[in-house]
Amino acid sequence: MDKDDQCSHQWNVAFAQPNSRPTNFATTTTTTLRTMGPGLEKIFSSNSHWLAAMNATEPEFFEQSAKSQSPKILWLGCSDSRVPESLITSSRPGDIFVHRNIANQVHPDDDSVLSVIAYATEVVGVEHILVIGHTNCGGATACLDASTENTSPSEPTTPLARWLAPLTKHVRTLKLEGLSKSEALMKVVEESVRVQVANVINTVPVKATWSAGKKNLWVHGLVYELETGRLRDLGISQGSAEKPMTNRIQSRGARL
């Protein structure tokens, strides 16, 4: 089993299996984080090096950073470890307000994402909300696989399946016949971004911002290409004075 197949298998297992809890879980431990393996030790070591570098070049940075934040961008992205927003945009602490979840979903009844959007627009004052999908998305792959099963759709029984259920349902409506697996997955990724952009636009905080006459808030849809490291604009951006979203989502967009 190659690395991609192993990743896909792990997603499918998590997507399909009921809730389970680890057994023989130790209730107490005296082990410190620094001694729990090279992965955690690297986090502390890298933090120390970064801290020293920042203090050497910008000794007042942390003092100023602690006072306030005024990012102009809200990033609604996927939890995938290969899409770190600050790194791929060469941004600094304080530049981007962030919310990430599995498959970059914006559910109308999800208080987590709604509270982020509300705080970002009402308190922080962001000017751009970016919905960022990415190629080879495990969540999108799980939805695509579930949508093509020959069995009748069943009620989701796991947290992951419930989270992805709206996207899975939408994927079943797409015309994917004749497409290769990679082509179908790309279409699912892009269509999901379009749906989430529309969901963001229909949230109370965004509509309230536009209704109040604030025209400097924009919502955008992009796809990050893991294979190239490039952000690709889907050309579906919308501001308060733009035409309805349904008239714009067919635009193909261009690479940034």
Side-chain angles (χ1 to χ4, degrees):
M1 181 182 295
D2 61 30
K3 191 172 182 180
D4 289 340
D5 289 340
Q6 184 179 15
C7 182
S8 178
H9 173 71
Q10 292 171 341
W11 268 98
N12 289 334
V13 168
F15 190 74
Q17 295 300 320
N19 293 332
S20 61
R21 294 183 178 179
T23 57
N24 301 323
F25 183 79
T27 56
T28 61
T29 178
T30 57
T31 304
T32 65
L33 287 178
R34 287 180 177 271
T35 61
M36 291 181 67
L40 287 175
E41 174 59 30
K42 183 178 184 298
I43 287 179
F44 285 101
S45 174
S46 297
N47 174 250
S48 295
H49 288 302
W50 175 73
L51 171 61
M54 291 297 294
N55 282 333
T57 57
E58 299 181 58
E60 297 181 358
F61 175 81
F62 295 108
E63 180 181 353
Q64 296 301 318
S65 178
K67 293 179 179 179
S68 65
Q69 63 171 330
S70 55
K72 300 305 179 185
I73 293 173
L74 167 59
W75 180 287
L76 302 178
C78 181
S79 300
D80 195 298
S81 62
R82 299 167 294 179
V83 195
E85 67 288 331
S86 293
L87 187 61
I88 66 176
T89 60
S90 191
S91 297
R92 292 158 52 86
D95 286 348
I96 304 178
F97 202 65
V98 180
H99 179 82
R100 294 168 65 178
N101 59 44
I102 299 298
N104 46 272
Q105 298 295 283
V106 181
H107 294 170
D109 58 351
D110 176 26
D111 280 345
S112 180
V113 69
L114 293 179
S115 62
V116 170
I117 294 173
Y119 193 84
T121 56
E122 298 169 7
V123 180
V124 177
V126 300
E127 296 178 358
H128 300 277
I129 300 177
L130 309 182
V131 177
I132 313 290
H134 67 92
T135 57
N136 295 331
C137 177
T141 300
C143 293
L144 178 60
D145 291 343
S147 71
T148 57
E149 293 177 353
N150 294 325
T151 57
S152 300
S154 58
E155 190 70 20
T157 58
T158 69
L160 182 57
R162 287 192 292 271
W163 177 256
L164 293 174
L167 180 57
T168 300
K169 182 179 180 180
H170 184 71
V171 172
R172 292 193 177 100
T173 69
L174 302 179
K175 296 180 180 180
L176 304 176
E177 297 81 3
L179 299 179
S180 67
K181 179 66 177 292
S182 60
E183 290 172 334
L185 179 57
M186 179 60 76
K187 185 170 183 177
V188 170
V189 168
E190 292 181 352
E191 181 63 19
S192 175
V193 171
R194 290 183 169 91
V195 170
Q196 310 321 317
V197 166
N199 287 344
V200 170
I201 289 171
N202 285 319
T203 61
V204 171
V206 171
K207 290 195 293 186
T209 299
W210 285 340
S211 296
K214 299 178 182 178
K215 298 182 179 181
N216 62 336
L217 178 65
W218 288 80
V219 183
H220 314 273
L222 296 86
V223 170
Y224 176 69
E225 298 175 348
L226 293 174
E227 305 83 355
T228 66
R230 186 183 298 274
L231 283 170
R232 177 162 53 88
D233 180 17
L234 294 183
I236 55 175
S237 300
Q238 175 122 4
S240 62
E242 294 295 299
K243 295 180 181 179
M245 197 65 201
T246 54
N247 294 337
R248 295 175 56 83
I249 63 174
Q250 300 303 318
S251 173
R252 292 185 61 84
R255 294 174 184 266
L256 291 178

PDB file of all heavy atoms in Angstrom, residues 137-168:
ATOM      1  N   CYS A 137      -7.750  16.555  -1.092  1.00  0.00           N
ATOM      2  CA  CYS A 137      -8.363  16.717   0.231  1.00  0.00           C
ATOM      3  C   CYS A 137      -8.956  15.389   0.698  1.00  0.00           C
ATOM      4  O   CYS A 137      -9.778  14.784   0.006  1.00  0.00           O
ATOM      5  CB  CYS A 137      -9.444  17.791   0.171  1.00  0.00           C
ATOM      6  SG  CYS A 137     -10.340  18.030   1.728  1.00  0.00           S
ATOM      7  N   GLY A 138      -8.544  14.938   1.874  1.00  0.00           N
ATOM      8  CA  GLY A 138      -9.053  13.679   2.398  1.00  0.00           C
ATOM      9  C   GLY A 138     -10.541  13.714   2.678  1.00  0.00           C
ATOM     10  O   GLY A 138     -11.254  12.733   2.440  1.00  0.00           O
ATOM     11  N   GLY A 139     -11.039  14.844   3.185  1.00  0.00           N
ATOM     12  CA  GLY A 139     -12.472  14.955   3.452  1.00  0.00           C
ATOM     13  C   GLY A 139     -13.288  14.912   2.180  1.00  0.00           C
ATOM     14  O   GLY A 139     -14.324  14.252   2.112  1.00  0.00           O
ATOM     15  N   ALA A 140     -12.825  15.624   1.145  1.00  0.00           N
ATOM     16  CA  ALA A 140     -13.515  15.603  -0.138  1.00  0.00           C
ATOM     17  C   ALA A 140     -13.476  14.215  -0.757  1.00  0.00           C
ATOM     18  O   ALA A 140     -14.455  13.757  -1.369  1.00  0.00           O
ATOM     19  CB  ALA A 140     -12.887  16.626  -1.082  1.00  0.00           C
ATOM     20  N   THR A 141     -12.354  13.520  -0.597  1.00  0.00           N
ATOM     21  CA  THR A 141     -12.234  12.152  -1.109  1.00  0.00           C
ATOM     22  C   THR A 141     -13.230  11.233  -0.425  1.00  0.00           C
ATOM     23  O   THR A 141     -13.871  10.393  -1.076  1.00  0.00           O
ATOM     24  CB  THR A 141     -10.809  11.621  -0.895  1.00  0.00           C
ATOM     25  OG1 THR A 141      -9.879  12.462  -1.578  1.00  0.00           O
ATOM     26  CG2 THR A 141     -10.665  10.205  -1.411  1.00  0.00           C
ATOM     27  N   ALA A 142     -13.369  11.370   0.898  1.00  0.00           N
ATOM     28  CA  ALA A 142     -14.322  10.550   1.642  1.00  0.00           C
ATOM     29  C   ALA A 142     -15.745  10.793   1.155  1.00  0.00           C
ATOM     30  O   ALA A 142     -16.537   9.852   1.005  1.00  0.00           O
ATOM     31  CB  ALA A 142     -14.216  10.841   3.137  1.00  0.00           C
ATOM     32  N   CYS A 143     -16.084  12.054   0.881  1.00  0.00           N
ATOM     33  CA  CYS A 143     -17.426  12.373   0.367  1.00  0.00           C
ATOM     34  C   CYS A 143     -17.630  11.788  -1.019  1.00  0.00           C
ATOM     35  O   CYS A 143     -18.708  11.270  -1.336  1.00  0.00           O
ATOM     36  CB  CYS A 143     -17.621  13.885   0.329  1.00  0.00           C
ATOM     37  SG  CYS A 143     -17.661  14.677   1.944  1.00  0.00           S
ATOM     38  N   LEU A 144     -16.619  11.877  -1.862  1.00  0.00           N
ATOM     39  CA  LEU A 144     -16.711  11.321  -3.207  1.00  0.00           C
ATOM     40  C   LEU A 144     -16.899   9.814  -3.148  1.00  0.00           C
ATOM     41  O   LEU A 144     -17.756   9.258  -3.856  1.00  0.00           O
ATOM     42  CB  LEU A 144     -15.447  11.672  -3.998  1.00  0.00           C
ATOM     43  CG  LEU A 144     -15.356  11.128  -5.424  1.00  0.00           C
ATOM     44  CD1 LEU A 144     -16.510  11.651  -6.280  1.00  0.00           C
ATOM     45  CD2 LEU A 144     -14.014  11.495  -6.039  1.00  0.00           C
ATOM     46  N   ASP A 145     -16.120   9.147  -2.315  1.00  0.00           N
ATOM     47  CA  ASP A 145     -16.253   7.692  -2.185  1.00  0.00           C
ATOM     48  C   ASP A 145     -17.627   7.306  -1.656  1.00  0.00           C
ATOM     49  O   ASP A 145     -18.251   6.361  -2.145  1.00  0.00           O
ATOM     50  CB  ASP A 145     -15.164   7.155  -1.243  1.00  0.00           C
ATOM     51  CG  ASP A 145     -13.767   7.256  -1.848  1.00  0.00           C
ATOM     52  OD1 ASP A 145     -13.671   7.427  -3.082  1.00  0.00           O
ATOM     53  OD2 ASP A 145     -12.790   7.179  -1.080  1.00  0.00           O
ATOM     54  N   ALA A 146     -18.107   8.044  -0.653  1.00  0.00           N
ATOM     55  CA  ALA A 146     -19.418   7.725  -0.073  1.00  0.00           C
ATOM     56  C   ALA A 146     -20.539   7.961  -1.073  1.00  0.00           C
ATOM     57  O   ALA A 146     -21.539   7.233  -1.094  1.00  0.00           O
ATOM     58  CB  ALA A 146     -19.645   8.568   1.178  1.00  0.00           C
ATOM     59  N   SER A 147     -20.380   8.958  -1.937  1.00  0.00           N
ATOM     60  CA  SER A 147     -21.431   9.290  -2.895  1.00  0.00           C
ATOM     61  C   SER A 147     -21.549   8.271  -4.017  1.00  0.00           C
ATOM     62  O   SER A 147     -22.580   8.187  -4.675  1.00  0.00           O
ATOM     63  CB  SER A 147     -21.166  10.672  -3.504  1.00  0.00           C
ATOM     64  OG  SER A 147     -20.056  10.641  -4.390  1.00  0.00           O
ATOM     65  N   THR A 148     -20.483   7.498  -4.231  1.00  0.00           N
ATOM     66  CA  THR A 148     -20.488   6.539  -5.328  1.00  0.00           C
ATOM     67  C   THR A 148     -20.769   5.109  -4.880  1.00  0.00           C
ATOM     68  O   THR A 148     -20.708   4.184  -5.676  1.00  0.00           O
ATOM     69  CB  THR A 148     -19.141   6.574  -6.074  1.00  0.00           C
ATOM     70  OG1 THR A 148     -18.079   6.315  -5.142  1.00  0.00           O
ATOM     71  CG2 THR A 148     -18.916   7.934  -6.712  1.00  0.00           C
ATOM     72  N   GLU A 149     -21.043   4.938  -3.593  1.00  0.00           N
ATOM     73  CA  GLU A 149     -21.380   3.609  -3.104  1.00  0.00           C
ATOM     74  C   GLU A 149     -22.703   3.148  -3.700  1.00  0.00           C
ATOM     75  O   GLU A 149     -23.632   3.941  -3.890  1.00  0.00           O
ATOM     76  CB  GLU A 149     -21.465   3.616  -1.582  1.00  0.00           C
ATOM     77  CG  GLU A 149     -20.130   3.849  -0.889  1.00  0.00           C
ATOM     78  CD  GLU A 149     -20.262   3.915   0.619  1.00  0.00           C
ATOM     79  OE1 GLU A 149     -21.429   3.908   1.098  1.00  0.00           O
ATOM     80  OE2 GLU A 149     -19.233   3.968   1.298  1.00  0.00           O
ATOM     81  N   ASN A 150     -22.778   1.858  -3.984  1.00  0.00           N
ATOM     82  CA  ASN A 150     -23.985   1.311  -4.612  1.00  0.00           C
ATOM     83  C   ASN A 150     -25.139   1.157  -3.637  1.00  0.00           C
ATOM     84  O   ASN A 150     -26.291   1.028  -4.048  1.00  0.00           O
ATOM     85  CB  ASN A 150     -23.663  -0.055  -5.248  1.00  0.00           C
ATOM     86  CG  ASN A 150     -22.692   0.074  -6.417  1.00  0.00           C
ATOM     87  OD1 ASN A 150     -22.736   1.054  -7.156  1.00  0.00           O
ATOM     88  ND2 ASN A 150     -21.817  -0.916  -6.577  1.00  0.00           N
ATOM     89  N   THR A 151     -24.835   1.165  -2.340  1.00  0.00           N
ATOM     90  CA  THR A 151     -25.892   1.012  -1.351  1.00  0.00           C
ATOM     91  C   THR A 151     -26.654   2.318  -1.163  1.00  0.00           C
ATOM     92  O   THR A 151     -26.161   3.393  -1.494  1.00  0.00           O
ATOM     93  CB  THR A 151     -25.288   0.586  -0.001  1.00  0.00           C
ATOM     94  OG1 THR A 151     -24.322   1.564   0.401  1.00  0.00           O
ATOM     95  CG2 THR A 151     -24.598  -0.770  -0.134  1.00  0.00           C
ATOM     96  N   SER A 152     -27.838   2.236  -0.619  1.00  0.00           N
ATOM     97  CA  SER A 152     -28.647   3.421  -0.369  1.00  0.00           C
ATOM     98  C   SER A 152     -28.008   4.245   0.741  1.00  0.00           C
ATOM     99  O   SER A 152     -27.426   3.687   1.684  1.00  0.00           O
ATOM    100  CB  SER A 152     -30.069   3.019   0.050  1.00  0.00           C
ATOM    101  OG  SER A 152     -30.688   2.259  -0.970  1.00  0.00           O
ATOM    102  N   PRO A 153     -28.091   5.581   0.633  1.00  0.00           N
ATOM    103  CA  PRO A 153     -27.509   6.434   1.669  1.00  0.00           C
ATOM    104  C   PRO A 153     -28.089   6.104   3.044  1.00  0.00           C
ATOM    105  O   PRO A 153     -29.294   5.901   3.185  1.00  0.00           O
ATOM    106  CB  PRO A 153     -27.910   7.841   1.223  1.00  0.00           C
ATOM    107  CG  PRO A 153     -28.149   7.723  -0.251  1.00  0.00           C
ATOM    108  CD  PRO A 153     -28.714   6.353  -0.457  1.00  0.00           C
ATOM    109  N   SER A 154     -27.236   6.000   4.041  1.00  0.00           N
ATOM    110  CA  SER A 154     -27.677   5.695   5.392  1.00  0.00           C
ATOM    111  C   SER A 154     -27.371   6.865   6.314  1.00  0.00           C
ATOM    112  O   SER A 154     -26.596   7.753   5.988  1.00  0.00           O
ATOM    113  CB  SER A 154     -26.974   4.436   5.919  1.00  0.00           C
ATOM    114  OG  SER A 154     -25.566   4.598   5.892  1.00  0.00           O
ATOM    115  N   GLU A 155     -27.995   6.857   7.473  1.00  0.00           N
ATOM    116  CA  GLU A 155     -27.779   7.913   8.453  1.00  0.00           C
ATOM    117  C   GLU A 155     -26.343   7.839   8.962  1.00  0.00           C
ATOM    118  O   GLU A 155     -25.878   6.768   9.381  1.00  0.00           O
ATOM    119  CB  GLU A 155     -28.759   7.746   9.617  1.00  0.00           C
ATOM    120  CG  GLU A 155     -28.801   8.918  10.579  1.00  0.00           C
ATOM    121  CD  GLU A 155     -29.447  10.143   9.952  1.00  0.00           C
ATOM    122  OE1 GLU A 155     -30.183   9.998   8.953  1.00  0.00           O
ATOM    123  OE2 GLU A 155     -29.211  11.254  10.484  1.00  0.00           O
ATOM    124  N   PRO A 156     -25.591   8.928   8.928  1.00  0.00           N
ATOM    125  CA  PRO A 156     -24.204   8.895   9.405  1.00  0.00           C
ATOM    126  C   PRO A 156     -24.142   8.570  10.885  1.00  0.00           C
ATOM    127  O   PRO A 156     -24.956   9.060  11.672  1.00  0.00           O
ATOM    128  CB  PRO A 156     -23.699  10.305   9.110  1.00  0.00           C
ATOM    129  CG  PRO A 156     -24.928  11.154   9.010  1.00  0.00           C
ATOM    130  CD  PRO A 156     -25.979  10.263   8.443  1.00  0.00           C
ATOM    131  N   THR A 157     -23.160   7.752  11.266  1.00  0.00           N
ATOM    132  CA  THR A 157     -23.069   7.291  12.651  1.00  0.00           C
ATOM    133  C   THR A 157     -21.803   7.754  13.357  1.00  0.00           C
ATOM    134  O   THR A 157     -21.632   7.492  14.547  1.00  0.00           O
ATOM    135  CB  THR A 157     -23.121   5.752  12.704  1.00  0.00           C
ATOM    136  OG1 THR A 157     -22.044   5.214  11.925  1.00  0.00           O
ATOM    137  CG2 THR A 157     -24.455   5.229  12.173  1.00  0.00           C
ATOM    138  N   THR A 158     -20.904   8.425  12.668  1.00  0.00           N
ATOM    139  CA  THR A 158     -19.672   8.890  13.296  1.00  0.00           C
ATOM    140  C   THR A 158     -19.602  10.411  13.216  1.00  0.00           C
ATOM    141  O   THR A 158     -20.239  11.027  12.358  1.00  0.00           O
ATOM    142  CB  THR A 158     -18.427   8.309  12.603  1.00  0.00           C
ATOM    143  OG1 THR A 158     -18.314   8.878  11.285  1.00  0.00           O
ATOM    144  CG2 THR A 158     -18.532   6.796  12.489  1.00  0.00           C
ATOM    145  N   PRO A 159     -18.832  11.045  14.097  1.00  0.00           N
ATOM    146  CA  PRO A 159     -18.683  12.507  14.018  1.00  0.00           C
ATOM    147  C   PRO A 159     -18.200  12.970  12.651  1.00  0.00           C
ATOM    148  O   PRO A 159     -18.683  13.980  12.123  1.00  0.00           O
ATOM    149  CB  PRO A 159     -17.650  12.810  15.111  1.00  0.00           C
ATOM    150  CG  PRO A 159     -17.811  11.704  16.097  1.00  0.00           C
ATOM    151  CD  PRO A 159     -18.126  10.483  15.278  1.00  0.00           C
ATOM    152  N   LEU A 160     -17.239  12.260  12.072  1.00  0.00           N
ATOM    153  CA  LEU A 160     -16.712  12.659  10.773  1.00  0.00           C
ATOM    154  C   LEU A 160     -17.761  12.526   9.679  1.00  0.00           C
ATOM    155  O   LEU A 160     -17.922  13.414   8.835  1.00  0.00           O
ATOM    156  CB  LEU A 160     -15.476  11.825  10.421  1.00  0.00           C
ATOM    157  CG  LEU A 160     -14.786  12.169   9.102  1.00  0.00           C
ATOM    158  CD1 LEU A 160     -14.368  13.640   9.074  1.00  0.00           C
ATOM    159  CD2 LEU A 160     -13.566  11.268   8.887  1.00  0.00           C
ATOM    160  N   ALA A 161     -18.484  11.417   9.699  1.00  0.00           N
ATOM    161  CA  ALA A 161     -19.520  11.219   8.681  1.00  0.00           C
ATOM    162  C   ALA A 161     -20.624  12.257   8.810  1.00  0.00           C
ATOM    163  O   ALA A 161     -21.142  12.758   7.800  1.00  0.00           O
ATOM    164  CB  ALA A 161     -20.103   9.806   8.799  1.00  0.00           C
ATOM    165  N   ARG A 162     -20.993  12.591  10.047  1.00  0.00           N
ATOM    166  CA  ARG A 162     -22.026  13.615  10.245  1.00  0.00           C
ATOM    167  C   ARG A 162     -21.533  14.971   9.769  1.00  0.00           C
ATOM    168  O   ARG A 162     -22.288  15.754   9.176  1.00  0.00           O
ATOM    169  CB  ARG A 162     -22.446  13.675  11.721  1.00  0.00           C
ATOM    170  CG  ARG A 162     -23.287  12.495  12.181  1.00  0.00           C
ATOM    171  CD  ARG A 162     -23.915  12.755  13.542  1.00  0.00           C
ATOM    172  NE  ARG A 162     -22.904  12.817  14.599  1.00  0.00           N
ATOM    173  CZ  ARG A 162     -22.472  11.770  15.284  1.00  0.00           C
ATOM    174  NH1 ARG A 162     -22.942  10.557  15.004  1.00  0.00           N
ATOM    175  NH2 ARG A 162     -21.580  11.913  16.250  1.00  0.00           N
ATOM    176  N   TRP A 163     -20.261  15.269  10.027  1.00  0.00           N
ATOM    177  CA  TRP A 163     -19.702  16.557   9.616  1.00  0.00           C
ATOM    178  C   TRP A 163     -19.701  16.692   8.096  1.00  0.00           C
ATOM    179  O   TRP A 163     -19.989  17.757   7.549  1.00  0.00           O
ATOM    180  CB  TRP A 163     -18.287  16.693  10.161  1.00  0.00           C
ATOM    181  CG  TRP A 163     -17.601  17.944   9.736  1.00  0.00           C
ATOM    182  CD1 TRP A 163     -16.633  18.081   8.784  1.00  0.00           C
ATOM    183  CD2 TRP A 163     -17.866  19.262  10.228  1.00  0.00           C
ATOM    184  NE1 TRP A 163     -16.263  19.397   8.653  1.00  0.00           N
ATOM    185  CE2 TRP A 163     -17.015  20.143   9.536  1.00  0.00           C
ATOM    186  CE3 TRP A 163     -18.725  19.779  11.194  1.00  0.00           C
ATOM    187  CZ2 TRP A 163     -17.001  21.514   9.778  1.00  0.00           C
ATOM    188  CZ3 TRP A 163     -18.705  21.142  11.423  1.00  0.00           C
ATOM    189  CH2 TRP A 163     -17.854  21.994  10.725  1.00  0.00           C
ATOM    190  N   LEU A 164     -19.380  15.599   7.418  1.00  0.00           N
ATOM    191  CA  LEU A 164     -19.262  15.636   5.965  1.00  0.00           C
ATOM    192  C   LEU A 164     -20.573  15.324   5.243  1.00  0.00           C
ATOM    193  O   LEU A 164     -20.623  15.403   4.008  1.00  0.00           O
ATOM    194  CB  LEU A 164     -18.181  14.648   5.506  1.00  0.00           C
ATOM    195  CG  LEU A 164     -16.743  14.996   5.916  1.00  0.00           C
ATOM    196  CD1 LEU A 164     -15.803  13.860   5.511  1.00  0.00           C
ATOM    197  CD2 LEU A 164     -16.299  16.311   5.302  1.00  0.00           C
ATOM    198  N   ALA A 165     -21.620  14.989   5.983  1.00  0.00           N
ATOM    199  CA  ALA A 165     -22.886  14.591   5.367  1.00  0.00           C
ATOM    200  C   ALA A 165     -23.444  15.630   4.388  1.00  0.00           C
ATOM    201  O   ALA A 165     -23.887  15.268   3.292  1.00  0.00           O
ATOM    202  CB  ALA A 165     -23.919  14.260   6.445  1.00  0.00           C
ATOM    203  N   PRO A 166     -23.452  16.932   4.722  1.00  0.00           N
ATOM    204  CA  PRO A 166     -23.972  17.906   3.750  1.00  0.00           C
ATOM    205  C   PRO A 166     -23.195  17.914   2.440  1.00  0.00           C
ATOM    206  O   PRO A 166     -23.784  18.008   1.359  1.00  0.00           O
ATOM    207  CB  PRO A 166     -23.843  19.244   4.494  1.00  0.00           C
ATOM    208  CG  PRO A 166     -23.872  18.885   5.934  1.00  0.00           C
ATOM    209  CD  PRO A 166     -23.138  17.582   6.014  1.00  0.00           C
ATOM    210  N   LEU A 167     -21.871  17.807   2.527  1.00  0.00           N
ATOM    211  CA  LEU A 167     -21.064  17.788   1.307  1.00  0.00           C
ATOM    212  C   LEU A 167     -21.280  16.491   0.542  1.00  0.00           C
ATOM    213  O   LEU A 167     -21.383  16.501  -0.693  1.00  0.00           O
ATOM    214  CB  LEU A 167     -19.586  17.971   1.630  1.00  0.00           C
ATOM    215  CG  LEU A 167     -18.641  17.977   0.419  1.00  0.00           C
ATOM    216  CD1 LEU A 167     -19.045  19.060  -0.586  1.00  0.00           C
ATOM    217  CD2 LEU A 167     -17.194  18.174   0.869  1.00  0.00           C
ATOM    218  N   THR A 168     -21.363  15.370   1.246  1.00  0.00           N
ATOM    219  CA  THR A 168     -21.632  14.089   0.581  1.00  0.00           C
ATOM    220  C   THR A 168     -22.951  14.137  -0.174  1.00  0.00           C
ATOM    221  O   THR A 168     -23.054  13.688  -1.326  1.00  0.00           O
ATOM    222  CB  THR A 168     -21.665  12.944   1.614  1.00  0.00           C
ATOM    223  OG1 THR A 168     -20.402  12.868   2.287  1.00  0.00           O
ATOM    224  CG2 THR A 168     -21.949  11.615   0.934  1.00  0.00           C
TER     225      THR A 168
END
